[in-house]
Amino acid sequence: MVLGIGVIGAGVMGGDHARVVAGSVRGAEVRAIADADPARAAAVAQANGVGTVHSDPLALIAEPSVDAVLIASPDDTHVPYTLACIAAGKPVLCEKPLAPTAEGCIEVMAAEQKAGRRLVQVGFMRRFDPGYAAMRGERAGGAMGSPVMLHCAHRNAVAPPWFTSEMVITNSAVHEIDIVRWLLDDEYAAVTAFMRAGGGKPAPADRQFLVFETRRGTVVGVELYLSARYGYDVTAELVCESGTVSLAQHSAVEMRSFPAQSRAYAPDWRAHFADAYRIQAQSWIDSILSGVPTGASAYDGYVATAVADTCLRAAETGERTPVEILERPAFYR
Ligand code: ISE
């Protein structure tokens, strides 16, 4: 069986998801693209050999040839489109964040539970990155003992012009917020946040540092620096009782040229996490066909948004702030 996929949003991420599903995934094909801007939708459709274009995403969701939907439209549209997919009984892979507010995520969880089956996956693609997956395997193997500390850095060469200080947390740090609890199989207990302004545009506070304490006592430092200029760079080093495990640098080749040995940085996350996006898309398709959910659930999406909100409050007050989240409902275990 070949699944028909509809892609909502023909911007940078929607275009990339359409390209990946159309060109690198087995068991699915892109059948429709929707975007408020018809020219943008038409361009992505043409680039990927897709015949149907909609300006109304709800029409795409209703289309009989569309079996499952990938949402990559602006953040504040995620909830209505995800709810429409649930109402239509169609599986949905929604880009992060699932919703800009915890209440929006709770609404999605309630609708999914009412539908009685798991239909929602959130696009936290790092869970499919081979490096993070291997790191989690080493931690779970337990040969180095329990986790003690985790050092993470997340640097972008340059933030988009519309980026705000808050988005450094809600749009960028959410990746660490999700991947850290997945890596450690733990939940957050408290966070302390340091927001620093670089003084320039576009992101007023383009350098931030988060210190998380987890329920099991691991201390996690997360550096966000969105104007790093030199390239896209994501690092993580987990310190366990008797050893460490780190992400290796992503680079296909290594250069030697006087006077240095070097590896290239990707310009942005699409190239850096290309494998993760491809594996995520394939796993999503396979999970729809097998009926076994994979990746981040709506509950994981809720935790990411709720913890991001707590980080923003912590940055505002400068105080160590307890993280209070709803416990995982049985439906998501
Ligand atoms: C962007 O939306 C992403 O998802 C990237 O992975 C992240 O590095 C970037 O900072 C975000 O803006």
Side-chain angles (χ1 to χ4, degrees):
M1 172 180 181
V2 175
L3 284 175
I5 306 301
V7 178
I8 299 178
V12 171
M13 289 316 298
D16 215 52
H17 283 302
R19 180 185 60 78
V20 169
V21 174
S24 312
V25 162
R26 293 176 313 274
E29 61 190 25
V30 184
R31 300 220 174 115
I33 310 278
D35 196 285
D37 176 349
R40 212 159 69 147
V44 171
Q46 199 192 7
N48 295 290
V50 180
T52 310
V53 164
H54 292 281
S55 54
D56 177 7
L58 298 178
L60 175 142
I61 295 169
E63 198 178 302
S65 70
V66 168
D67 302 306
V69 179
L70 213 157
I71 299 176
S73 46
D75 296 358
D76 60 355
T77 64
H78 290 182
V79 170
Y81 298 154
T82 301
L83 291 174
C85 291
I86 295 172
K90 297 189 179 181
V92 52
L93 173 57
C94 180
E95 258 297 340
K96 57 82 198 168
L98 176 58
T101 63
E103 291 69 32
C105 298
I106 291 169
E107 204 184 331
V108 170
M109 284 195 286
E112 193 181 27
Q113 290 179 71
K114 198 165 162 219
R117 66 188 175 109
R118 290 274 301 275
L119 289 166
V120 180
Q121 183 177 330
V122 182
F124 282 120
M125 79 299 177
R126 289 191 187 183
R127 291 181 178 219
F128 299 93
D129 175 71
Y132 277 119
M135 205 168 164
R136 185 176 197 246
E138 292 295 339
R139 195 273 307 150
M144 294 180 297
S146 300
V148 179
M149 285 170 284
L150 175 58
H151 306 278
C152 305
H154 181 166
R155 302 184 190 132
N156 287 194
V158 58
W162 62 86
F163 237 64
T164 62
S165 305
E166 287 69 29
M167 286 175 83
V168 177
I169 300 294
T170 60
N171 205 280
S172 303
V174 277
H175 281 295
E176 269 77 16
I177 293 174
D178 180 69
I179 203 69
V180 164
R181 56 188 279 278
W182 180 80
L183 274 177
L184 299 177
D185 211 357
D186 201 351
E187 293 293 358
Y188 299 108
V191 63
T192 311
F194 304 83
M195 220 185 229
R196 295 289 181 265
K201 289 206 168 276
D206 60 352
R207 50 212 70 179
Q208 305 197 17
F209 202 92
L210 306 171
V211 180
F212 291 103
E213 296 157 64
T214 72
R215 290 184 186 171
R216 291 204 193 105
T218 305
V219 179
V220 181
V222 179
E223 171 206 311
L224 281 308
Y225 183 31
L226 294 211
S227 310
R229 297 179 184 89
Y230 69 86
Y232 187 81
D233 198 8
V234 168
T235 65
E237 181 188 24
L238 176 63
V239 182
C240 296
E241 286 165 311
S242 63
T244 77
V245 50
S246 310
L247 291 178
Q249 198 189 320
H250 282 215
S251 178
V253 291
E254 186 173 83
M255 274 87 69
R256 290 168 204 201
S257 172
F258 183 81
Q261 182 180 10
S262 62
R263 292 182 194 161
Y265 289 103
D268 69 21
W269 58 91
R270 285 170 299 164
H272 183 98
F273 283 114
D275 286 345
Y277 281 112
R278 186 178 39 75
I279 298 168
Q280 170 180 258
Q282 186 66 65
S283 304
W284 177 53
I285 301 303
D286 293 346
S287 84
I288 297 170
L289 293 171
S290 69
V292 181
T294 184
S297 66
Y299 176 72
D300 296 315
Y302 153 75
V303 175
T305 296
V307 174
D309 283 351
T310 314
C311 293
L312 290 175
R313 269 190 287 122
E316 217 173 280
T317 61
E319 282 171 16
R320 176 184 181 275
T321 308
V323 173
E324 278 149 22
I325 50 169
L326 299 173
E327 289 308 312
R328 188 187 292 271
F331 183 81
Y332 292 105
R333 282 193 197 122

